[in-house]
Amino acid sequence: MNALPSAASFGAALQAAREAAGSQDYPAGTLYVVATPIGNRADITLRALHVLQIVDAIACEDTRHTQQLLRALGIERSPAQLIAVHQHNESGAAQAVVERLLRGERVAYVSDAGTPGVSDPGARLVDAARAAGLRTLPLPGASSVTTLVSAAGLRADGPQASAFVFAGFAPAKAAERAAFVQGLAAEPRAIVLLEAPHRIEALAQSLAAAGDRLLTIGRELTKQFEDIATVPAHAFAGWLAESPQRRRGEFALVLHPLPATAAGDGAVDASAQRTLRLLLAELPTKSAVRLAAEISGAPRNALYALALQWREDADDDGA
């Protein structure tokens, strides 16, 4: 992958953005939620380039980081036009943004990378705007979640194959992280996780409990030293240990779906199925599955998959 483009490289892109997006309507008093590149600046969209030029202010997770990105894109905004809205001040800062919106200003929100509100700040700001009766206009773009899912090669051989669960970051404390990963074992669908480099080895040790279940690793996605690999979950720690470079950078992970043979009806006999149906009538799915597994001895993963399938069948029948 080539080096990142410079500010001069975006001159034509800024002109193209004005031509492609300039004729669209950009209402006043609107919060624009703008996805930004997760690594390669060339992944910025034309509409994002245009909006970042025309809004009255840009709320951002880190004003210094955003100023650097804007300058790299060839966009000049004064420091007074940048508003810090991050995880430590989001609730209070959101009200200041709402006041601007109520005055008829256009305000964009960007996180440090990717799509705001997806394991990044932004959700509280959007909620505050909604509560004030204001419009939020999302500008889709880069996301490490969908980027890695698209490259994971998840099989399409079952009703849950194309579905995935976004679990985000695992807890930092060892006991909580182990319980978190253990809870994932009951989920038959693919699971997307994010992790920082200083905690990736600890997560790898915890994920070893998933055994032969496939794990796709995305490291430094879209960047110059991007690395994508698929290994059994138990081999992840060994994969990391093969090179110091592999323990650097930001990570996205996809734990693949359970194989159909591990999640199908065949692993659950008629008695266990009857127990599960009775419990599902009275309890939430997870509680019903846990008790059914304890009573019948059937695999919890298979019971959970069966419960999800029954729920989907019921939804289809009611449609």
Side-chain angles (χ1 to χ4, degrees):
M1 187 176 294
N2 296 327
L4 292 176
S6 65
S9 305
F10 284 95
L14 293 173
Q15 178 61 34
R18 286 189 289 271
E19 294 174 358
S23 62
Q24 300 172 23
D25 183 33
Y26 298 94
T30 297
L31 175 67
Y32 295 84
V33 180
V34 182
T36 55
I38 58 175
N40 193 313
R41 294 177 190 137
D43 290 336
I44 191 76
T45 69
L46 292 178
R47 195 152 65 113
L49 284 174
H50 185 67
V51 164
L52 291 173
Q53 293 179 88
I54 67 168
V55 291
D56 299 290
I58 301 173
C60 39
E61 185 177 359
D62 185 325
T63 57
R64 293 169 299 179
H65 178 93
T66 297
Q67 187 70 279
Q68 290 174 358
L69 173 64
L70 292 172
R71 288 173 178 163
L73 297 174
I75 299 172
E76 286 296 330
R77 305 306 296 257
S78 71
Q81 292 176 302
L82 303 182
I83 310 164
V85 181
H86 46 73
Q87 63 176 341
H88 302 297
N89 77 341
E90 188 172 358
S91 295
Q95 294 308 310
V97 173
V98 166
E99 290 174 7
R100 284 175 173 261
L101 296 170
L102 290 171
R103 293 199 297 265
E105 294 187 19
R106 299 184 185 97
V107 180
Y109 182 73
V110 298
S111 58
D112 285 350
T115 302
V118 182
S119 280
D120 277 343
R124 289 187 176 90
L125 176 57
V126 170
D127 186 57
R130 177 201 56 77
L134 296 162
R135 182 179 178 184
T136 296
L137 199 158
L139 276 67
S143 167
S144 61
V145 176
T146 52
T147 296
L148 188 59
V149 168
S150 73
L154 303 180
R155 295 188 304 273
D157 57 359
Q160 294 290 328
S162 61
F164 66 88
V165 176
F166 177 57
F169 288 90
K173 295 182 178 179
E176 294 176 1
R177 183 173 56 249
F180 172 80
V181 172
Q182 184 178 5
L184 298 181
E187 174 54 66
R189 293 169 292 184
I191 303 164
V192 181
L193 298 148
L194 304 177
E195 195 52 273
H198 66 280
R199 296 197 329 213
I200 193 62
E201 290 178 271
L203 179 61
Q205 295 294 337
S206 297
L207 284 172
D212 290 330
R213 193 167 174 176
L214 290 180
L215 179 74
T216 293
I217 307 146
R219 189 184 65 82
E220 293 290 83
L221 291 172
T222 79
K223 299 178 184 177
Q224 185 174 3
F225 299 107
E226 175 183 80
D227 202 352
I228 299 175
T230 299
V231 301
H234 69 78
F236 181 28
W239 182 89
L240 285 174
E242 288 178 8
S243 168
Q245 185 68 23
R246 289 183 174 178
R247 299 190 291 276
R248 299 170 183 159
E250 300 298 320
F251 287 83
L253 309 164
V254 176
L255 190 61
H256 286 228
L258 282 170
T261 55
D265 289 20
V268 182
D269 62 25
S271 176
Q273 291 187 39
R274 181 175 181 278
T275 300
L276 179 60
R277 284 192 184 277
L278 291 172
L279 291 170
L280 285 171
E282 304 294 335
L283 297 170
T285 301
K286 287 186 177 180
S287 297
V289 167
R290 177 176 55 80
L291 289 173
E294 292 177 0
I295 294 169
S296 67
R300 185 179 295 191
N301 292 343
L303 288 166
Y304 191 80
L306 190 56
L308 291 179
Q309 185 59 57
W310 287 345
R311 185 171 62 190
E312 283 190 0
D313 292 344
D315 290 343
D316 291 341
D317 290 342

